[in-house]
Amino acid sequence: MPVDPILRPAVAADAAPLAALWATAFSPPLPPDQWLVDPDRLAHTIVAVDEEGVTGSIYGLPKRLREDDGAVASVHCIGSVAVADRARGRGIARRLVTATLESAGRAGADWALLFTGTPEVYRSSGFETFTMRRSLTGPWGAAGGATDAGTPDAGSSDAGVRRDPVRLDQLLTGAEAYESSRAGVVLAPVRSAQDWAMAAVRLDGMTLYRTDGGYAVAEARDGLGVLAELAAVDPRARDVLLEAVAADWRAGGAVRVDIAVPDRAEDVVAVRGFAPAAQPVQDGTGMTRPVRRSPRITGIRHFGAADYF
């Protein structure tokens, strides 16, 4: 009869087995790149170990997230919950969740957050589902009714927009615009230096558009235009950025879009003009659980792809 795995904090020797576990437990495979950015990753990771080695994992990352009353909560963000095929059905995932919640309590977290496609796994541990608008998706360009835009040149209205591959030092120049544009948006992180470094990893390969007063991160690939992040301190900056993105999407052959912006009135109006045929997509994968207290997350909720954990 198999012996129950022991649970313990991760150690340096677990890095390679964890990468191997995440490569097989998740589809698509989860690379360790973002995890490696966290200098306290071993302390934040609990592993299950049996006679064959690492057989399960859970990662609890502290973040500071905005709440509906203007407060900023200390949140235990749970990810990388994985159990090897050989050990499934033995309650290991539940034991890992219990262990990371105990760690969250010792660290003084207000509440815990996770995103999952299998909520039934976590309900027995006290987690409850919430919904938010993740993005706007649908046809774009000639099919979607967006206004025409050509490839930009020196005389175009987006000539002042700088385009670069996403890189941390350049992404950080948008920190003020990010904080300004996320005021009052529930769940939006108050980004630390580490949060920005992790965001740069998640946005790697995309284009960073920068102008005075704002930035956008976007790409066009295989007919899909993706706007992963948009932050501007004023409407002029936002509109100039959207014009630049539109020009590149048309040049790249985008016919459908996936646009992630907070559900604030001013952003909704701008995006409606930019992609009038795109429709909101509700996301029900988020779950929360009280640790020190209950979360306060009514109102406009937004948690972008750059901040996933």
Side-chain angles (χ1 to χ4, degrees):
M1 183 174 180
V3 177
D4 284 342
I6 63 168
L7 304 189
R8 60 165 172 76
V11 297
D14 295 327
L18 282 169
L21 173 65
W22 297 336
T24 57
F26 298 105
S27 181
L30 177 67
D33 306 43
Q34 183 177 345
W35 182 74
L36 291 171
V37 171
D38 180 4
D40 298 316
R41 58 188 174 274
L42 299 178
H44 293 155
T45 306
I46 298 171
V47 295
V49 182
D50 64 10
E51 62 276 7
E52 296 184 45
V54 172
T55 191
S57 71
I58 195 165
Y59 179 52
L61 178 67
K63 283 182 176 283
R64 299 176 65 230
L65 306 185
R66 292 170 170 85
E67 293 187 295
D68 56 29
D69 59 357
V72 176
S74 175
V75 180
H76 189 70
C77 297
I78 298 172
S80 301
V81 183
V83 177
D85 287 342
R86 70 176 185 272
R88 289 185 179 172
R90 294 163 57 187
I92 295 173
R94 184 179 295 182
R95 289 179 60 200
L96 287 165
V97 170
T98 298
T100 197
L101 289 173
E102 290 173 352
S103 174
R106 291 191 296 271
D110 293 316
W111 42 276
L113 170 71
L114 59 83
F115 293 92
T116 179
T118 56
E120 62 278 2
V121 172
Y122 302 96
R123 288 199 178 98
S124 62
S125 298
F127 283 86
E128 296 182 353
T129 302
F130 67 89
T131 60
M132 65 177 181
R133 197 193 75 181
R134 178 185 290 274
S135 60
L136 293 161
T137 65
W140 189 79
T147 56
D148 289 335
T151 302
D153 54 37
S156 67
S157 58
D158 77 332
V161 175
R162 298 175 292 280
R163 294 166 169 83
D164 298 287
V166 171
R167 207 175 67 194
L168 176 57
D169 59 341
Q170 295 176 340
L171 191 60
L172 278 169
T173 64
E176 182 179 350
Y178 172 85
E179 292 299 327
S180 174
S181 66
R182 297 310 188 262
V185 178
V186 177
L187 294 179
V190 177
R191 284 182 178 165
S192 64
Q194 179 176 300
D195 291 329
W196 280 104
M198 288 185 165
V201 170
R202 292 193 62 88
L203 298 172
D204 183 50
M206 303 184 81
T207 297
L208 173 64
Y209 298 77
R210 290 183 294 156
T211 190
D212 292 340
Y215 73 93
V217 180
E219 68 176 351
R221 185 179 302 174
D222 299 326
L224 178 67
V226 176
L227 178 60
E229 195 155 292
L230 175 66
V233 298
D234 59 64
R236 183 208 63 81
R238 181 189 61 221
D239 294 345
V240 166
L241 289 163
L242 289 176
E243 288 179 17
V245 171
D248 289 356
W249 282 3
R250 288 193 179 280
V255 294
R256 295 188 60 80
V257 295
D258 188 320
I259 300 169
V261 296
D263 198 19
R264 303 188 308 168
E266 57 269 34
D267 291 325
V268 170
V269 170
V271 170
R272 282 293 178 212
F274 175 69
Q279 297 298 315
V281 175
Q282 293 296 317
D283 180 285
T285 64
M287 303 187 81
T288 62
R289 180 194 186 277
V291 177
R292 189 176 64 85
R293 61 168 175 79
S294 296
R296 299 189 283 263
I297 58 169
T298 59
I300 298 172
R301 300 169 179 156
H302 184 75
F303 198 89
D307 294 304
Y308 277 76
F309 34 86

